[in-house]
């Protein structure tokens, strides 16, 4: 499954919902995903709820790798 990374293509809330959906499908808690990605569980939760701006590319790459989806820049 592909996700295009661009402010024009994906808004922050939609991106957060997608990450949440993939995390739940993988059966991972915030803490488990945090350990896999090196991103704090608080930051992950803020990403999923849209309470942060667009995540840095490096963070998205870590999340995509952990949750097995592909980013297209």
């Amino acid at each position: 499954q592909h996700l295009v990374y661009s402010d024009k293509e994906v808004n922050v809330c939609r991106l957060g919902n997608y990450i949440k959906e993939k995390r739940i499908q993988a059966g991972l808690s915030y803490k488990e995903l945090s350990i896999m990605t090196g991103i704090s569980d608080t930051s992950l939760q803020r990403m999923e709820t849209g309470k942060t701006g667009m995540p840095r590319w490096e963070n998205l790459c870590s999340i995509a790798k952990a949750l097995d989806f592909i980013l297209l820049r």
Side-chain angles (χ1 to χ4, degrees):
Q1 197 163 24
H2 300 279
L3 179 66
V4 177
Y5 180 80
S6 163
D7 289 330
K8 296 176 187 169
E9 299 289 334
V10 178
N11 69 39
V12 174
C13 289
R14 194 164 144 212
L15 175 62
N17 287 337
Y18 183 81
I19 291 170
K20 181 177 183 176
E21 179 183 308
K22 296 298 282 183
R23 179 182 60 79
I24 290 170
Q25 285 177 359
L28 297 172
S29 68
Y30 289 121
K31 191 65 173 172
E32 290 167 324
L33 185 56
S34 173
I35 291 166
M36 294 172 73
T37 61
I39 302 167
S40 74
D41 52 342
T42 302
S43 292
L44 290 167
Q45 186 173 16
R46 291 179 60 80
M47 282 181 212
E48 286 187 2
T49 58
K51 294 182 180 175
T52 185
M54 189 60 77
R56 290 186 350 212
W57 177 252
E58 296 80 16
N59 287 346
L60 279 178
C61 288
S62 295
I63 293 168
K65 183 176 179 181
L67 297 178
D68 195 30
F69 65 89
I70 298 168
L71 293 170
L72 302 175
R73 192 167 198 171

